[in-house]
Amino acid sequence: MANTEQFRTCPATGLKVHLPAERLIKANAVAAVLFLAIGGLFGLGVALTRWPAVHLLPADWFYLALTAHGLDVLVVWIIFFEVALLYFASAILLNSRLATPKMAWAAFALMLVGAAVTNVAVLQGTSSVMFTSYAPMQATPMYYAGIVLFAVGALIACFIFFGTLVVAKQERTYEGSIPLVTFGAMTAAIIAVFTIASGAIILIPTLLWSLGLVSHIDSLMYRTVFWAFGHSSQQINVAAHVSVWYAVGALVLGAKPLSEKVSRGAFLLYILFLQLASAHHLLVDPGISSEWKVFNTSYAIYLAVLGSMIHGMSVPGAMEAAQRRHGYTNGLFEWLRKAPWGNPAFSGMFLSVIFFGFLGGISGVVMGTEQINLIIHNTLYVPGHFHGTVVAGTTLAFMAITYLVVPLIFRKDLVLKGWARLQPYLFGIGAAGISLFMMGAGTLGVSRRHWDITFSDAPLPFDYPGAAFLMMGLNGIFAILASIGGIMFIVVIVGSILFGKPAGEQTFKELLFTGEASAVGKHGSEEHPKVPGTLALVAVFFVSFVLYYFVNWKYLSEIWPLR
Amino acid sequence: MALTPPDQALWWKRPLSRAELGWITIAFLWGLFMFFFMIYWHGAGKQNLSNEAYRISAEKFTARTQAMVDKYKVRDYETKQGVKIPVVHPPAGEDVYLIGRLWQWWPILELEKDQSYRLHISSLDWLHGFSLQPVNINIEIHPGYEIVLTVTPDTSGEFTIVCNEYCGIGHHTMLGKIFVVEQ
């Protein structure tokens, strides 16, 4: 049994906070932000090199920076932050102690050492193999070893999360079912176990191969298993950032789910079907049957997409219902107009919902269509898509909740509040622009992971259309915008942690919903107010989705016939 | 709240609102439609990637490509650096071979408009990406596997094959050409 001195009571939420868990959340969040800064910087280098008029880095540095960018932001930043979220959603939300804090520190150390080792391997210049490290291109053993260490640490963290759920249940620290956000975090953790197992299955043999102990790694086998790791890890992010959406809605607006059943059912669809997405990367690879492609790429009849479309209604719906209960009942959109747009937690979260749905979501389904992938595979459309999901979606959502983590966990008031207010807009619009213009360039055929689209050193002449150069320039400009937003985020967060005044009543009032929660507490399911504004938003989304889907079939029908 | 246990202990027995049920139904039906549209396109559409592929060694694939070049070479193409690349004009309907290797697509193909060819593509070393521009057809090319597709160029002119799978420091110089001529 944990002794009571290890807990404090949160003045804002009334939750019992386990202090060892709190320290671990802080450590993981700080490591996350550190790697966001490093990875973001590499990303700026990449974007400025791909802007033909600037063409900043030489070729070897470009491929090095692109490898480091992918690793540090796609893997290290996001997973450190997710570990912090797992500890928060288990120990803190359930009023429980964290299972085995010492193991959690060991996991933290493994992840930190692993990330450092891989970064050093990349910076030495001998492992510019991209985040995907496709065999038979080979990195140094250190590169793979670092990733394996990092993954082992992350796996331990997942099991500490599951252990904490067991502890909380046995010690009866909560009544009834676990909260929705904890359920979402559990979804992420389950997918993470599958993901990390796939990663081990592919990266351990590859490590042995780079050491000379295994003679051959088949490239098709590598891609198939790698993407069971690589794509599934993006599905961890989806489950995690949807949980963050619900959490921010609850903390900032006092929102509660329209229906627990629907929201949890949608998470369940993620657990059952999201892992099939390895297929998205194999749609134009040789030797794979169309039956396999069609079934897997659609997550079995688009059932995981169904999950996301459900969240796409229930997240804004929950917020609309809350706002209407608070008296913003005029017209379709008063609830949205009068939302706290100056609160960076809210604005970041809401922009994340919109961008993830319209940019990342729609493009993902379209490019994951078996035949349409022919006009998209490995073009810049692909990074365009995942900057919509992982940057404008996940990263922005994580930034948003960080504005609440600082007062609640670090117990500090924000510094530079004007910067904080502006930051989600700059970063969000920057990231959305990056996503949009890369997709535009990709539609025009421009290759991803390419140092020089003018082909000045190539033996044969070729020019992409002029519009592609415009797209790359716009991409560079929006990357600068996103970078300014990223730097502001880091300055505000690090500044607040180091120099912020202790958080007080006033801090919570500025950032959190402080109304009477119990007055709205008993509504549920059918009794919630009608949400016509959300229905209108969902209708706009659906029409855009259908139109864009058919536009791409039209593009496909114009290429050379092939069979 | 989403951060606290559900208010009703039996939350899974609460009925759904009509709006939610409606949206779930629409989303589900749309998923069903998109699923069957892929299958429909296999029958009705003209752009479906072949699933025909074989394991093949680099030596064997090189030999077959060389045999085609020896048989159907029509001229040389001279690059900016003065390197000569054979241009091959195989008869319509013929098996055509294309090698991807560090950092070149070889040889240069000359095809006739509106004729069909069985195009074999393989890599001799690492992964490469066959990206035909400006048509925008993109296929992943593996070492040890040859993919065989039947392609019917329906536009004439000069087309470029860009490598769009990262293949090391010379990746951005890896180009190839396909010329499509009127019959």
Side-chain angles (χ1 to χ4, degrees):
Chain A
M1 269 295 165
N3 66 54
T4 45
E5 287 120 62
Q6 288 195 307
F7 288 91
R8 68 175 175 92
T9 302
C10 173
T13 61
L15 287 164
K16 261 171 71 189
V17 179
H18 185 226
L19 296 174
E22 185 178 66
R23 283 192 286 272
L24 278 155
I25 292 170
K26 285 181 184 174
N28 281 283
V30 167
V33 170
L34 177 72
F35 280 98
L36 175 66
I38 298 170
L41 201 63
F42 281 119
L44 181 62
V46 169
L48 291 180
T49 308
R50 296 224 58 169
W51 184 349
V54 179
H55 212 223
L56 182 70
L57 299 173
D60 52 347
W61 272 94
F62 169 76
Y63 292 123
L64 185 156
L66 189 47
T67 306
H69 172 59
L71 277 167
D72 284 336
V73 283
L74 192 61
V75 180
V76 185
W77 136 251
I78 286 180
I79 294 185
F80 265 124
F81 200 89
E82 281 164 352
V83 169
L85 283 176
L86 286 182
Y87 295 160
F88 172 78
S90 55
I92 311 295
L93 289 185
L94 298 177
N95 291 301
S96 169
R97 68 186 171 87
L98 188 78
T100 62
K102 276 184 189 146
M103 285 296 283
W105 282 109
F108 176 73
L110 276 176
M111 289 170 67
L112 203 58
V113 170
V117 165
T118 301
N119 265 285
V120 169
V122 171
L123 286 173
Q124 283 175 340
T126 46
S127 297
S128 296
V129 293
M130 304 292 133
F131 154 73
T132 45
S133 57
Y134 290 139
M137 182 183 289
Q138 202 172 55
T140 55
M142 249 173 91
Y143 174 92
Y144 306 107
I147 298 178
V148 170
L149 285 181
F150 184 83
V152 170
L155 190 64
I156 294 172
C158 289
F159 282 103
I160 289 167
F161 170 81
F162 294 129
T164 306
L165 293 188
V166 174
V167 166
K169 179 107 186 154
Q170 279 191 340
E171 295 179 358
R172 296 176 190 283
T173 59
Y174 65 97
E175 280 173 36
S177 306
I178 55 174
L180 177 61
V181 170
T182 310
F183 190 87
M186 186 184 74
T187 303
I190 291 172
I191 298 174
V193 172
F194 170 88
T195 302
I196 295 169
S198 307
I201 291 170
I202 195 60
L203 288 173
I204 291 173
T206 309
L207 169 63
L208 297 177
W209 170 67
S210 75
L211 287 167
L213 299 171
V214 167
S215 64
H216 177 69
I217 298 281
D218 183 88
S219 61
L220 192 55
M221 183 276 291
Y222 182 95
R223 273 172 56 79
T224 308
V225 184
F226 177 85
W227 283 113
F229 160 69
H231 204 108
S232 303
S233 67
Q234 306 322 310
Q235 320 291 18
I236 307 172
N237 304 341
V238 175
H241 78 225
V242 172
S243 305
V244 165
W245 293 344
Y246 281 116
V248 173
L251 284 166
V252 173
L253 297 176
K256 59 199 297 319
L258 298 178
S259 158
E260 293 277 355
K261 180 163 64 178
V262 169
S263 296
R264 284 167 202 246
F267 277 123
L268 193 64
L269 288 173
Y270 283 173
I271 297 176
L272 295 176
F273 298 107
L274 267 181
Q275 284 82 299
L276 305 183
S278 170
H280 290 176
H281 301 263
L282 304 167
L283 295 173
V284 295
D285 281 44
I288 299 171
S289 75
S290 286
E291 291 83 351
W292 188 90
K293 287 174 182 171
V294 167
F295 179 82
N296 285 281
T297 198
S298 68
Y299 307 102
I301 336 180
Y302 292 97
L303 292 175
V305 174
L306 176 64
S308 286
M309 287 173 79
I310 292 172
H311 289 306
M313 173 184 181
S314 59
V315 170
M319 291 188 277
E320 175 171 3
Q323 286 285 79
R324 285 182 186 272
R325 279 195 295 266
H326 304 157
Y328 301 114
T329 52
N330 290 329
L332 275 181
F333 290 118
E334 192 195 20
W335 64 277
L336 194 54
R337 278 201 316 276
K338 299 263 172 81
W341 291 103
N343 178 342
F346 175 82
S347 59
M349 177 270 295
F350 203 86
L351 291 177
S352 161
V353 174
I354 299 289
F355 293 147
F356 179 79
F358 278 87
L359 295 174
I362 292 177
S363 66
V365 174
V366 167
M367 70 196 274
T369 305
E370 189 203 358
Q371 294 93 339
I372 291 177
N373 195 253
L374 266 171
I375 57 171
I376 287 173
H377 179 75
N378 269 355
T379 65
L380 260 178
Y381 194 98
V382 179
H385 154 72
F386 67 69
H387 281 74
T389 56
V390 181
V391 187
T394 308
T395 299
L396 188 53
F398 287 2
M399 284 175 167
I401 201 168
T402 304
Y403 287 110
L404 303 178
V405 169
V406 168
L408 291 175
I409 299 290
F410 288 90
R411 286 181 271 169
K412 291 291 177 69
D413 197 19
L414 292 179
V415 296
L416 296 170
K417 288 181 182 167
W419 283 34
R421 256 196 299 282
L422 199 59
Q423 187 273 331
Y425 296 98
L426 282 181
F427 185 81
I429 292 167
I434 291 171
S435 169
L436 205 61
F437 294 118
M438 279 205 279
M439 286 197 271
T443 303
L444 295 165
V446 177
S447 165
R448 69 184 294 197
R449 296 176 166 175
H450 201 282
W451 178 63
D452 178 21
I453 61 166
T454 64
F455 299 96
S456 54
D457 296 344
L460 301 169
F462 176 61
D463 286 313
Y464 282 115
F469 286 76
L470 177 67
M471 295 283 179
M472 297 315 293
L474 287 167
N475 175 56
I477 291 168
F478 278 81
I480 291 172
L481 201 61
S483 300
I484 293 170
I487 291 166
M488 285 166 76
F489 173 75
I490 289 171
V491 170
V492 170
I493 298 304
V494 174
S496 303
I497 292 171
L498 294 179
F499 310 113
K501 290 190 287 257
E505 200 88 340
Q506 185 57 30
T507 316
F508 299 137
K509 217 175 260 172
E510 280 168 14
L511 291 169
L512 300 175
F513 176 72
T514 49
E516 189 51 60
S518 63
V520 296
K522 295 305 162 199
H523 292 277
S525 301
E526 273 206 314
E527 303 90 6
H528 69 71
K530 294 219 179 321
V531 289
T534 299
L535 291 180
L537 288 177
V538 164
V540 171
F541 171 80
F542 187 69
V543 171
S544 320
F545 192 169
V546 173
L547 287 177
Y548 189 67
Y549 180 74
F550 283 110
V551 163
N552 278 277
W553 280 108
K554 174 83 173 71
Y555 288 153
L556 176 75
S557 73
E558 287 164 356
I559 69 172
W560 290 358
L562 42 103
R563 60 192 152 81
Chain B
M1 269 209 328
L3 296 167
T4 50
D7 300 324
Q8 301 95 354
L10 299 180
W11 50 266
W12 60 89
K13 289 195 171 167
R14 312 296 300 182
L16 298 184
S17 67
R18 275 175 49 200
E20 284 166 289
L21 200 62
W23 174 237
I24 294 170
T25 309
I26 291 170
F28 178 74
L29 291 176
W30 173 236
L32 219 54
F33 175 85
M34 291 192 296
F35 179 81
F36 284 107
F37 202 82
M38 285 190 282
I39 297 169
Y40 162 80
W41 194 265
H42 273 280
K46 288 201 176 106
Q47 291 81 11
N48 287 289
L49 183 63
S50 152
N51 294 319
E52 189 180 345
Y54 305 94
R55 283 183 182 277
I56 192 164
S57 68
E59 295 75 36
K60 213 177 234 177
F61 194 79
T62 309
R64 287 184 195 171
T65 311
Q66 189 61 52
M68 173 196 72
V69 171
D70 293 343
K71 206 163 162 190
Y72 299 123
K73 181 177 155 182
V74 287
R75 61 176 186 278
D76 275 321
Y77 179 101
E78 201 172 315
T79 68
K80 282 186 276 185
Q81 290 85 353
V83 179
K84 285 180 176 157
I85 305 172
V87 179
V88 176
H89 187 129
E94 189 69 2
D95 285 78
V96 180
Y97 296 83
L98 180 69
I99 285 175
R101 64 185 173 203
L102 302 172
W103 289 288
Q104 185 184 44
W105 295 101
W106 190 89
I108 291 174
L109 303 174
E110 187 173 88
L111 308 177
E112 289 171 13
K113 186 171 173 251
D114 294 326
Q115 297 293 332
S116 297
Y117 299 85
R118 268 169 64 81
L119 179 59
H120 303 238
I121 319 173
S122 185
S123 160
L124 302 188
D125 34 55
W126 290 349
L127 283 169
H128 295 292
F130 173 93
S131 175
L132 188 70
Q133 298 299 331
V135 191
N136 206 8
I137 294 173
N138 303 280
I139 303 170
E140 187 82 22
I141 306 301
H142 286 254
Y145 294 88
E146 73 172 323
I147 185 166
V148 187
L149 53 143
T150 303
V151 59
T152 315
D154 61 0
T155 43
S156 58
E158 178 181 331
F159 300 90
T160 303
I161 311 163
V162 179
C163 177
N164 72 359
E165 182 61 83
Y166 172 64
C167 56
I169 193 67
H171 166 55
H172 47 268
T173 64
M174 181 168 168
L175 294 179
K177 290 280 176 194
I178 294 181
F179 298 107
V180 178
V181 294
E182 303 279 345
Q183 292 169 51

